[in-house]
Amino acid sequence: MAAPVDDMFSFCVDPCKVTSSVEVQFIDNIKVMYCSSECRQAAADQYHRVLCLGPSEEDPDHPINKLKDAWRSVHYPPETSSIMLMAKMVAVVKQAKDKAHWQKLFSHFCSRAANEEEEIAHKLLGEQFRGQLGSLHSLFKEALYDEHLSRWFVPEGFRSLFALVGTNGQGIGTSSLSQWVHACDALELPDQQREQLDSFIDQLYKDIDKATGEFLNCEGSGLYLLQSSCNHSCIPNAEASFPDNNFLLHLNALSDISAGEEICISYLDFCQRDRSRHSRHKILRENYLFVCSCSKCTSQMDELDVTSEEEEEGEAEGETEGDEMEDEMTDV
């Protein structure tokens, strides 16, 4: 069964996508699209006044635009979900009447930048990215500083905020293409036509993947308090999904779950879960700061800490991209 999780603080980084059947709403005479008047009002009440650029929307020298551009220069493909999720956290507190309430809620999310016991540091907070983070920190402070949140604007606080979003941020998987594919799956077709359609869809995804990678079905990023409380397993008994094609996250059981049994999701995507124990641990250490001890990993403890040739090639490409990223940030 699916359980909707809409418990605390979730939103698309960009305004909700508008379909032909929904009225377009605007706010403050600025062309920002919302899927409904309710969504528009929620944005206005929660964070929009702080982040609204007004007539400076196209001004490259506006502090928020400078922050977005700096993040794009270090992140591929160009999108602003992580940095703007952090910005909206600040905006929500700045705009709220009860600032302590929101600060307390955000404190429930894990925000450690390192696991000292295991001697693990988040990969984006390593020495090789010190210059990039320093530049982002300066721009973030220039654009959004607030005395009520001064602890988020000192270097260590900014690193913790960055780690909070990096560790807890959930990609919001909505896609008109995925909806079309689901509709195709439901069609009753002769075997030959079904095979042709499946082949076309497979090739379409491969072609799109060359340009978008894992961001194909991700239109934003959000924080979900209950979902972020789920521990990881390489053989999860539940998974997060967005069946309503909006920001509402559902937790779907993948198998029967007994009363009192822990609900575990996977922090790895489907392909990553099929990799070797060594490769899975590398991803989890760098992104989530822990060593997995689920039943699958425990059963594979005797495996050599090696990767397949394909995985080694992927890691080599990742290192090259990391070097290029560091070079690009030198100019920010």
Side-chain angles (χ1 to χ4, degrees), residues 6 16 28 30 90 104 119 126 169 187 202 207 248 250 252 256 276-277 300 329:
D6 186 23
C16 297
D28 299 341
I30 303 300
V90 172
K104 182 179 179 181
E119 297 184 348
L187 294 175
D202 288 344
D207 292 341
L248 186 62
H250 288 237
N252 305 283
D256 292 338
S276 68
R277 176 177 178 271
Q300 296 174 341
M329 270 306 293

Side-chain angles (χ1 to χ4, degrees), residues 68-85:
K68 290 181 179 180
D69 288 342
W71 178 247
R72 290 190 184 102
S73 72
V74 301
H75 196 273
Y76 181 85
E79 52 81 37
T80 57
S81 62
S82 294
I83 203 70
M84 289 310 295
L85 185 54

Side-chain angles (χ1 to χ4, degrees), residues 65-194:
N65 285 333
K66 289 165 63 177
L67 179 65
K68 290 181 179 180
D69 288 342
W71 178 247
R72 290 190 184 102
S73 72
V74 301
H75 196 273
Y76 181 85
E79 52 81 37
T80 57
S81 62
S82 294
I83 203 70
M84 289 310 295
L85 185 54
M86 294 165 60
K88 286 189 177 181
M89 290 173 65
V90 172
V92 164
V93 177
K94 290 180 70 170
Q95 195 167 311
K97 293 181 179 179
D98 187 353
K99 301 182 187 301
H101 166 73
W102 283 99
Q103 289 178 291
K104 182 179 179 181
L105 285 175
F106 288 135
S107 70
H108 289 298
F109 289 96
C110 175
S111 60
R112 62 179 180 175
N115 181 341
E116 296 180 0
E117 182 179 343
E118 298 287 349
E119 297 184 348
I120 302 172
H122 196 285
K123 68 176 183 179
L124 291 179
L125 301 177
E127 287 295 324
Q128 69 270 37
F129 298 120
R130 183 177 294 276
Q132 294 92 316
L133 283 173
S135 297
L136 287 171
H137 173 234
S138 297
L139 292 169
F140 191 79
K141 187 173 182 179
E142 176 188 357
L144 297 162
Y145 181 79
D146 183 84
E147 61 181 10
H148 293 94
L149 292 170
S150 57
R151 62 187 178 85
W152 280 357
F153 290 94
V154 297
E156 190 57 38
F158 179 73
R159 287 166 61 88
S160 294
L161 188 61
F162 208 97
L164 184 154
V165 170
T167 303
N168 298 278
Q170 166 68 46
I172 297 176
T174 61
S175 167
S176 55
L177 176 60
S178 67
Q179 295 296 302
W180 176 77
V181 171
H182 284 309
C184 289
D185 290 340
L187 294 175
E188 295 183 3
L189 299 172
D191 291 344
Q192 184 175 1
Q193 291 185 20
R194 168 58 61 189

Side-chain angles (χ1 to χ4, degrees), residues 51-326:
L51 297 180
C52 181
L53 302 185
S56 301
E57 186 176 7
E58 303 297 328
D59 180 6
D61 293 323
H62 190 284
I64 290 180
N65 285 333
K66 289 165 63 177
L67 179 65
K68 290 181 179 180
D69 288 342
W71 178 247
R72 290 190 184 102
S73 72
V74 301
H75 196 273
Y76 181 85
E79 52 81 37
T80 57
S81 62
S82 294
I83 203 70
M84 289 310 295
L85 185 54
M86 294 165 60
K88 286 189 177 181
M89 290 173 65
V90 172
V92 164
V93 177
K94 290 180 70 170
Q95 195 167 311
K97 293 181 179 179
D98 187 353
K99 301 182 187 301
H101 166 73
W102 283 99
Q103 289 178 291
K104 182 179 179 181
L105 285 175
F106 288 135
S107 70
H108 289 298
F109 289 96
C110 175
S111 60
R112 62 179 180 175
N115 181 341
E116 296 180 0
E117 182 179 343
E118 298 287 349
E119 297 184 348
I120 302 172
H122 196 285
K123 68 176 183 179
L124 291 179
L125 301 177
E127 287 295 324
Q128 69 270 37
F129 298 120
R130 183 177 294 276
Q132 294 92 316
L133 283 173
S135 297
L136 287 171
H137 173 234
S138 297
L139 292 169
F140 191 79
K141 187 173 182 179
E142 176 188 357
L144 297 162
Y145 181 79
D146 183 84
E147 61 181 10
H148 293 94
L149 292 170
S150 57
R151 62 187 178 85
W152 280 357
F153 290 94
V154 297
E156 190 57 38
F158 179 73
R159 287 166 61 88
S160 294
L161 188 61
F162 208 97
L164 184 154
V165 170
T167 303
N168 298 278
Q170 166 68 46
I172 297 176
T174 61
S175 167
S176 55
L177 176 60
S178 67
Q179 295 296 302
W180 176 77
V181 171
H182 284 309
C184 289
D185 290 340
L187 294 175
E188 295 183 3
L189 299 172
D191 291 344
Q192 184 175 1
Q193 291 185 20
R194 168 58 61 189
E195 184 177 342
Q196 290 175 341
L197 179 59
D198 288 346
S199 177
F200 170 79
I201 291 174
D202 288 344
Q203 187 59 49
L204 179 63
Y205 270 113
K206 290 178 182 178
D207 292 341
I208 295 176
D209 182 68
K210 294 177 182 178
T212 65
E214 63 188 62
F215 290 84
L216 171 62
N217 292 333
C218 182
E219 294 186 356
S221 184
L223 296 175
Y224 297 83
L225 187 57
L226 291 180
Q227 178 264 355
S228 71
S229 299
C230 293
N231 282 325
H232 163 84
S233 172
C234 295
I235 44 174
N237 57 14
E239 68 176 357
S241 66
F242 296 87
D244 299 324
N245 212 37
N246 57 19
F247 66 87
L248 186 62
L249 182 149
H250 288 237
L251 284 179
N252 305 283
L254 298 175
S255 59
D256 292 338
I257 301 176
S258 304
E261 180 182 354
E262 182 179 13
I263 297 175
C264 292
I265 60 176
S266 178
Y267 301 169
L268 306 173
D269 64 34
F270 185 79
C271 293
Q272 290 171 336
R273 294 202 297 271
D274 283 339
R275 290 186 173 186
S276 68
R277 176 177 178 271
H278 174 70
S279 294
R280 298 197 307 273
H281 279 203
K282 182 176 186 294
I283 296 170
L284 293 169
R285 283 197 306 269
E286 292 179 344
N287 292 278
Y288 301 100
L289 310 179
F290 71 90
V291 177
C292 183
S293 58
C294 71
S295 58
K296 182 176 181 178
C297 288
T298 301
S299 68
Q300 296 174 341
M301 287 184 63
D302 293 334
E303 289 186 1
L304 294 176
D305 287 342
V306 295
T307 60
S308 66
E309 292 182 3
E310 180 180 346
E311 290 170 345
E312 288 175 349
E313 290 176 0
E315 290 176 0
E317 291 175 0
E319 291 173 0
T320 301
E321 291 175 359
D323 294 339
E324 293 174 351
M325 185 186 299
E326 186 174 1

Side-chain angles (χ1 to χ4, degrees), residues 25-43:
Q25 301 286 332
F26 298 94
I27 194 166
D28 299 341
N29 296 317
I30 303 300
K31 292 183 178 181
V32 178
M33 293 185 178
Y34 293 89
C35 61
S36 67
S37 58
E38 291 80 10
C39 184
R40 172 184 181 272
Q41 190 59 49

